[in-house]
Amino acid sequence: MAQAVEKSAQPYRRHIVGLPLQRSLFREAAGAATTIGLPGLSSELDFPARLDENGDLFLDRLQVATLTKALPSWLTLETLELMHATHADACDALVDATENAARVVASLNGTSARKLSEDLANRMALVLAYGVLSKFVPDILLRALANAGDVEPPPFPERSAGAELMQNTFALYQACRALDYTPQRLQRQWPRVSPEVFRLVGEFCDRQTGFGPLAWDSPGYEDPNYVIRLLHSAFDEVNAEQVRRRLSFAKRPVVVRSTSDVPARIAAFWRVLGFWLDFLERETWYVRRAFYVGMIPLLRQLAAEYRREIPTVQPVDLLFLEIGELIAGTIDPAVIHSRRRRYMENSEYLSLHGIEPSHFATMLGSS
């Protein structure tokens, strides 16, 4: 991280997102970050990250240094508890808003759909802000914990999200093999497979939606073809018993550190740092799932409304709006066409993220 900060004139990460809708949410993250309550982060100008028109992420080394200097002296018992509560609340609120949007979208009129889209976008932007802060805040907390006298290993989560995902993926592989569908056969015959296998893969994708790349337009676990390719690359021609043993080891419970005999401030550090370490594995999941489960149904609903005035509007067109334009209903076909053309001409981005033009139909049901 220190090396990346020193070279902040260069992108921290290149081409991380390409869709205008997603890029605009990253810009909203700067304002959302000011509500978190951290010292040195009272205005949008204090936010240490920016995203350019190419989707490149830049980190400002001076702003990171300012936050790094301000944070340790702020970490009292009370502020640690506040940091933990606000972070957990932001994540829980996004999950709740996501599921609520999916549940009620069919009953919404245009005004209600725009309002719900705005609320969901605001909650996504806040979690994105935490995602940027996760590039350096856990390290600050770990150093502060050591300076407070704690010499124990970091408080990693009891269950790793990544390990759990791999266990569930292996379970899908085993279930398909039990029905005589190897990864090779799945790749060759999908979607013309037995109803039971089709159901297994579909239900797996529904449960695991959210895991995948940060870029929404890059295929992830919501896409059966992506999952089948993953099964092929991970498990084809492997020793299933060896994989089972390794994953069984990953299932062994982590010994939870007792807080009964440690100072309250140390225990608070453990809780806060433990949540950040778990968040590092789930930060993309929170926002990607919000997009696929919550935002896409809203985009379909809004597109149906906007077609009353512009009959050619399709749900995919709304991906090329900024979030403010989406909420305001500012639909300019010429602007959409220009942005979409520029996006499709960015062959480096499309190749990097494995995006085919037909993927939009998979995402939104219309191209």
Side-chain angles (χ1 to χ4, degrees):
M1 177 63 203
Q3 185 179 24
V5 171
E6 290 171 5
K7 298 180 179 179
S8 60
Q10 298 297 322
Y12 176 66
R13 286 181 60 189
R14 296 192 68 236
H15 298 316
I16 64 168
V17 295
L19 290 173
L21 186 65
Q22 189 173 14
R23 286 207 312 267
S24 69
L25 272 181
F26 266 84
R27 290 196 293 272
E28 296 296 320
T34 63
T35 68
I36 294 174
L38 295 184
L41 197 54
S42 57
S43 79
E44 294 185 21
L45 297 177
D46 298 326
F47 194 59
R50 65 178 178 85
L51 201 69
D52 70 7
E53 288 300 310
N54 294 319
D56 295 342
L57 178 66
F58 291 82
L59 291 175
D60 188 312
R61 65 180 182 87
L62 294 178
Q63 296 293 354
V64 172
T66 298
L67 291 169
T68 301
K69 182 178 180 180
L71 195 55
S73 61
W74 179 79
L75 297 173
T76 65
L77 174 60
E78 292 75 16
T79 56
L80 284 167
E81 297 289 7
L82 178 63
M83 176 187 279
H84 183 210
T86 54
H87 193 178
D89 287 348
C91 295
D92 291 344
L94 178 55
V95 171
D96 291 344
T98 297
E99 302 304 325
N100 178 61
R103 185 170 55 250
V104 306
V105 63
S107 65
L108 300 178
N109 59 27
T111 301
S112 299
R114 284 193 293 272
K115 178 61 179 174
L116 196 57
S117 299
E118 181 178 21
D119 178 68
L120 184 60
N122 288 339
R123 297 186 188 281
M124 294 165 77
L126 180 56
V127 172
L128 282 171
Y130 275 108
V132 170
L133 296 175
S134 73
K135 304 299 178 283
F136 56 92
V137 169
D139 188 53
I140 296 171
L141 291 169
L142 188 60
R143 292 200 304 268
L145 183 57
N147 291 337
D150 185 66
V151 295
E152 297 294 323
F156 290 108
E158 294 180 48
R159 287 185 65 85
S160 162
E164 188 171 355
L165 177 62
M166 183 55 68
Q167 290 158 10
N168 291 332
T169 305
F170 183 63
L172 174 65
Y173 160 79
Q174 289 180 301
C176 290
R177 281 301 304 264
L179 295 170
D180 199 30
Y181 277 84
T182 65
Q184 283 186 338
R185 185 182 179 190
L186 277 172
Q187 264 199 321
R188 188 171 61 251
Q189 297 185 2
W190 184 267
R192 295 177 296 277
V193 296
S194 73
E196 179 65 8
V197 170
F198 192 89
R199 181 187 63 80
L200 282 171
V201 175
E203 290 179 353
F204 175 87
C205 290
D206 289 343
R207 289 193 304 272
Q208 306 305 332
T209 293
F211 288 109
L214 176 62
W216 298 338
D217 40 344
S218 184
Y221 278 80
E222 74 289 335
D223 183 349
N225 289 295
Y226 175 93
V227 169
I228 291 168
R229 290 195 301 270
L230 178 64
L231 291 177
H232 187 271
S233 63
F235 302 123
D236 190 47
E237 298 183 359
V238 301
N239 185 314
E241 184 57 34
Q242 287 184 356
V243 174
R244 187 182 296 108
R245 284 200 299 268
R246 291 173 182 171
L247 292 177
S248 295
F249 179 80
K251 286 183 178 180
R252 293 171 61 181
V254 175
V255 177
V256 180
R257 299 166 64 177
S258 172
T259 60
S260 60
D261 57 349
V262 299
R265 185 166 179 260
I266 296 294
F269 266 118
W270 288 357
R271 287 190 293 275
V272 174
L273 182 55
F275 192 86
W276 276 99
L277 293 176
D278 182 68
F279 178 75
L280 285 170
E281 289 200 77
R282 302 180 190 273
E283 57 180 296
T284 296
W285 177 88
Y286 283 115
V287 179
R288 187 180 177 95
R289 184 170 180 84
F291 172 71
Y292 274 94
V293 174
M295 186 63 78
I296 280 184
L298 288 168
L299 293 180
R300 294 194 186 107
Q301 190 80 350
L302 289 171
E305 180 199 358
Y306 298 149
R307 270 198 296 273
R308 296 173 184 172
E309 296 183 12
I310 308 174
T312 59
V313 169
Q314 296 295 324
V316 68
D317 294 330
L318 305 190
L319 297 175
F320 296 91
L321 297 177
E322 297 187 353
I323 191 64
E325 295 168 340
L326 177 72
I327 294 167
T330 308
I331 311 297
D332 186 334
V335 170
I336 291 172
H337 176 75
S338 175
R339 290 174 182 171
R340 187 169 184 173
R341 184 182 69 249
R342 181 183 178 192
Y343 171 90
M344 297 306 300
E345 289 173 351
N346 191 346
S347 58
E348 182 180 0
Y349 174 84
L350 298 177
S351 175
L352 177 66
H353 292 281
I355 300 168
E356 299 289 341
S358 61
H359 183 56
F360 287 131
T362 304
M363 290 171 62
L364 286 153
S366 176
S367 61

